[in-house]
Short mmCIF file of all heavy atoms in Angstrom, two decimals:
data_model
loop_
_atom_site.label_atom_id
_atom_site.label_comp_id
_atom_site.label_asym_id
_atom_site.label_seq_id
_atom_site.Cartn_x
_atom_site.Cartn_y
_atom_site.Cartn_z
N LEU A 23 -8.82 32.95 15.56
CA LEU A 23 -9.98 33.96 15.82
C LEU A 23 -11.26 33.21 15.97
O LEU A 23 -12.10 33.51 16.95
CB LEU A 23 -10.03 35.06 14.75
CG LEU A 23 -11.17 35.99 14.91
CD1 LEU A 23 -11.05 36.74 16.15
CD2 LEU A 23 -11.20 36.96 13.79
N GLN A 24 -11.58 32.16 15.11
CA GLN A 24 -12.71 31.38 15.24
C GLN A 24 -12.80 30.58 16.52
O GLN A 24 -13.77 30.33 17.19
CB GLN A 24 -12.92 30.60 14.03
CG GLN A 24 -13.22 31.34 12.72
CD GLN A 24 -13.13 30.55 11.50
OE1 GLN A 24 -12.53 29.39 11.49
NE2 GLN A 24 -13.46 31.01 10.38
N LEU A 25 -11.45 30.11 16.92
CA LEU A 25 -11.38 29.39 18.23
C LEU A 25 -11.81 30.22 19.42
O LEU A 25 -12.49 29.84 20.31
CB LEU A 25 -9.92 28.90 18.36
CG LEU A 25 -9.66 28.17 19.59
CD1 LEU A 25 -10.45 26.79 19.67
CD2 LEU A 25 -8.16 27.81 19.71
N ALA A 26 -11.51 31.54 19.39
CA ALA A 26 -12.05 32.44 20.42
C ALA A 26 -13.48 32.37 20.44
O ALA A 26 -14.08 32.30 21.56
CB ALA A 26 -11.49 33.81 20.14
N GLN A 27 -14.19 32.37 19.30
CA GLN A 27 -15.72 32.31 19.33
C GLN A 27 -16.13 31.01 19.83
O GLN A 27 -17.27 30.91 20.51
CB GLN A 27 -16.15 32.62 17.97
CG GLN A 27 -15.85 34.03 17.43
CD GLN A 27 -16.12 34.29 15.96
OE1 GLN A 27 -15.63 33.47 15.08
NE2 GLN A 27 -16.88 35.30 15.66
N VAL A 28 -15.42 29.95 19.43
CA VAL A 28 -15.78 28.57 19.92
C VAL A 28 -15.73 28.55 21.51
O VAL A 28 -16.68 28.00 22.12
CB VAL A 28 -14.83 27.52 19.34
CG1 VAL A 28 -15.07 26.15 20.06
CG2 VAL A 28 -15.19 27.31 17.86
N MET A 29 -14.68 29.02 22.04
CA MET A 29 -14.48 29.06 23.54
C MET A 29 -15.57 29.83 24.20
O MET A 29 -16.06 29.44 25.23
CB MET A 29 -13.15 29.57 23.82
CG MET A 29 -11.96 28.62 23.37
SD MET A 29 -12.03 26.95 24.13
CE MET A 29 -11.61 27.20 25.82
N LEU A 30 -16.01 30.88 23.59
CA LEU A 30 -17.08 31.72 24.13
C LEU A 30 -18.35 30.91 24.11
O LEU A 30 -19.15 30.94 25.13
CB LEU A 30 -17.24 33.06 23.29
CG LEU A 30 -18.00 34.16 23.88
CD1 LEU A 30 -17.54 34.60 25.21
CD2 LEU A 30 -18.15 35.24 22.87
N LYS A 31 -18.62 30.23 22.99
CA LYS A 31 -19.88 29.38 23.03
C LYS A 31 -19.82 28.25 23.97
O LYS A 31 -20.91 27.88 24.52
CB LYS A 31 -19.94 28.78 21.59
CG LYS A 31 -20.49 29.73 20.48
CD LYS A 31 -22.01 29.70 20.48
CE LYS A 31 -22.57 30.44 19.32
NZ LYS A 31 -23.99 30.30 19.18
N LEU A 32 -18.63 27.74 24.27
CA LEU A 32 -18.52 26.63 25.25
C LEU A 32 -18.61 27.14 26.75
O LEU A 32 -18.61 26.29 27.69
CB LEU A 32 -17.17 25.97 25.08
CG LEU A 32 -17.08 25.09 23.78
CD1 LEU A 32 -15.60 24.59 23.61
CD2 LEU A 32 -18.04 23.94 23.84
N GLY A 33 -18.76 28.40 26.95
CA GLY A 33 -18.92 28.98 28.33
C GLY A 33 -17.72 29.55 28.92
O GLY A 33 -17.65 29.91 30.15
N ALA A 34 -16.58 29.74 28.17
CA ALA A 34 -15.49 30.25 28.81
C ALA A 34 -15.58 31.83 28.93
O ALA A 34 -16.16 32.46 28.06
CB ALA A 34 -14.16 29.96 28.01
N VAL A 35 -15.01 32.44 30.02
CA VAL A 35 -14.91 33.89 30.13
C VAL A 35 -13.53 34.35 29.93
O VAL A 35 -13.31 35.49 29.57
CB VAL A 35 -15.46 34.33 31.42
CG1 VAL A 35 -16.92 34.15 31.65
CG2 VAL A 35 -14.74 33.63 32.69
N HIS A 36 -12.64 33.48 30.20
CA HIS A 36 -11.20 33.73 29.86
C HIS A 36 -10.66 32.53 29.07
O HIS A 36 -11.00 31.33 29.45
CB HIS A 36 -10.31 33.91 31.17
CG HIS A 36 -10.73 35.09 31.97
ND1 HIS A 36 -10.42 36.38 31.68
CD2 HIS A 36 -11.44 35.17 33.05
CE1 HIS A 36 -10.92 37.19 32.56
NE2 HIS A 36 -11.59 36.44 33.43
N ALA A 37 -9.85 32.78 28.12
CA ALA A 37 -9.33 31.61 27.34
C ALA A 37 -7.99 32.00 26.54
O ALA A 37 -7.81 33.17 26.26
CB ALA A 37 -10.37 31.08 26.30
N MET A 38 -7.20 31.05 26.33
CA MET A 38 -5.90 31.24 25.54
C MET A 38 -5.77 30.06 24.58
O MET A 38 -6.13 28.91 24.88
CB MET A 38 -4.77 31.55 26.52
CG MET A 38 -4.32 30.30 27.30
SD MET A 38 -2.74 30.70 28.25
CE MET A 38 -1.59 30.51 26.99
N ASN A 39 -5.05 30.32 23.58
CA ASN A 39 -4.66 29.38 22.49
C ASN A 39 -3.39 28.67 22.97
O ASN A 39 -2.48 29.30 23.56
CB ASN A 39 -4.43 30.08 21.29
CG ASN A 39 -4.16 29.19 20.16
OD1 ASN A 39 -4.73 28.15 19.84
ND2 ASN A 39 -3.10 29.43 19.35
N LEU A 40 -3.39 27.36 22.75
CA LEU A 40 -2.19 26.62 23.06
C LEU A 40 -1.62 26.08 21.72
O LEU A 40 -2.05 26.47 20.60
CB LEU A 40 -2.50 25.28 23.86
CG LEU A 40 -3.06 25.65 25.27
CD1 LEU A 40 -3.66 24.34 25.88
CD2 LEU A 40 -2.18 26.38 26.11
N ASP A 41 -0.59 25.34 21.74
CA ASP A 41 0.09 24.84 20.48
C ASP A 41 -1.06 24.07 19.81
O ASP A 41 -1.87 23.41 20.47
CB ASP A 41 1.20 24.05 20.73
CG ASP A 41 2.14 23.82 19.53
OD1 ASP A 41 1.81 24.39 18.45
OD2 ASP A 41 3.26 23.17 19.58
N GLY A 42 -0.98 23.85 18.41
CA GLY A 42 -1.99 23.15 17.71
C GLY A 42 -1.39 22.31 16.69
O GLY A 42 -0.18 21.91 16.71
N GLY A 43 -2.24 21.84 15.67
CA GLY A 43 -1.81 20.99 14.64
C GLY A 43 -1.41 19.64 15.11
O GLY A 43 -2.11 19.02 15.89
N ALA A 44 -0.14 19.27 14.68
CA ALA A 44 0.33 17.93 15.12
C ALA A 44 0.67 17.83 16.63
O ALA A 44 0.81 16.78 17.20
CB ALA A 44 1.52 17.62 14.40
N SER A 45 0.72 19.05 17.28
CA SER A 45 0.93 18.98 18.78
C SER A 45 -0.33 18.86 19.58
O SER A 45 -0.20 18.54 20.79
CB SER A 45 1.48 20.38 19.17
OG SER A 45 2.86 20.45 18.62
N SER A 46 -1.55 19.13 18.93
CA SER A 46 -2.80 19.03 19.60
C SER A 46 -2.96 17.65 20.34
O SER A 46 -2.95 16.60 19.65
CB SER A 46 -3.93 19.27 18.87
OG SER A 46 -4.05 20.67 18.59
N GLY A 47 -3.10 17.53 21.67
CA GLY A 47 -3.32 16.31 22.41
C GLY A 47 -4.31 16.52 23.59
O GLY A 47 -4.21 17.55 24.26
N LEU A 48 -5.23 15.58 23.81
CA LEU A 48 -6.19 15.71 24.90
C LEU A 48 -6.49 14.37 25.43
O LEU A 48 -6.74 13.43 24.74
CB LEU A 48 -7.46 16.33 24.36
CG LEU A 48 -8.57 16.78 25.44
CD1 LEU A 48 -8.07 17.68 26.37
CD2 LEU A 48 -9.80 17.28 24.76
N PHE A 49 -6.43 14.30 26.78
CA PHE A 49 -6.61 12.97 27.44
C PHE A 49 -7.50 13.17 28.66
O PHE A 49 -7.49 14.18 29.32
CB PHE A 49 -5.16 12.56 27.97
CG PHE A 49 -5.27 11.34 28.97
CD1 PHE A 49 -5.24 10.11 28.43
CD2 PHE A 49 -5.22 11.50 30.31
CE1 PHE A 49 -5.19 8.95 29.20
CE2 PHE A 49 -5.24 10.47 31.16
CZ PHE A 49 -5.28 9.13 30.61
N CYS A 50 -8.34 12.14 28.92
CA CYS A 50 -9.32 12.18 30.02
C CYS A 50 -9.55 10.80 30.43
O CYS A 50 -10.09 10.00 29.77
CB CYS A 50 -10.52 12.99 29.61
SG CYS A 50 -11.72 13.05 31.04
N SER A 51 -9.33 10.56 31.78
CA SER A 51 -9.75 9.31 32.48
C SER A 51 -9.45 8.01 31.78
O SER A 51 -10.26 7.18 31.49
CB SER A 51 -11.25 9.37 32.75
OG SER A 51 -11.56 10.48 33.59
N GLY A 52 -8.19 7.97 31.32
CA GLY A 52 -7.65 6.79 30.69
C GLY A 52 -7.92 6.69 29.14
O GLY A 52 -7.50 5.72 28.51
N SER A 53 -8.50 7.65 28.62
CA SER A 53 -8.81 7.66 27.16
C SER A 53 -8.08 8.87 26.44
O SER A 53 -8.19 10.00 26.87
CB SER A 53 -10.27 7.83 26.86
OG SER A 53 -11.00 6.75 27.36
N MET A 54 -7.44 8.57 25.37
CA MET A 54 -6.73 9.65 24.55
C MET A 54 -7.81 10.18 23.57
O MET A 54 -8.19 9.44 22.52
CB MET A 54 -5.58 9.08 23.73
CG MET A 54 -4.76 10.10 23.12
SD MET A 54 -3.81 11.15 24.30
CE MET A 54 -2.51 9.96 24.81
N LEU A 55 -8.30 11.24 23.80
CA LEU A 55 -9.38 11.93 22.98
C LEU A 55 -8.85 12.55 21.73
O LEU A 55 -9.51 12.41 20.68
CB LEU A 55 -10.20 12.99 23.76
CG LEU A 55 -10.73 12.52 25.25
CD1 LEU A 55 -11.47 13.72 25.91
CD2 LEU A 55 -11.57 11.33 25.00
#
């Protein structure tokens, strides 16, 4: 529920939750964030 508020603050108008915890992974331009 707090993630929904975070996404709103980041400027999203539509958003959905993905898997999390140990599954969370994010990559951009050669870097594992």
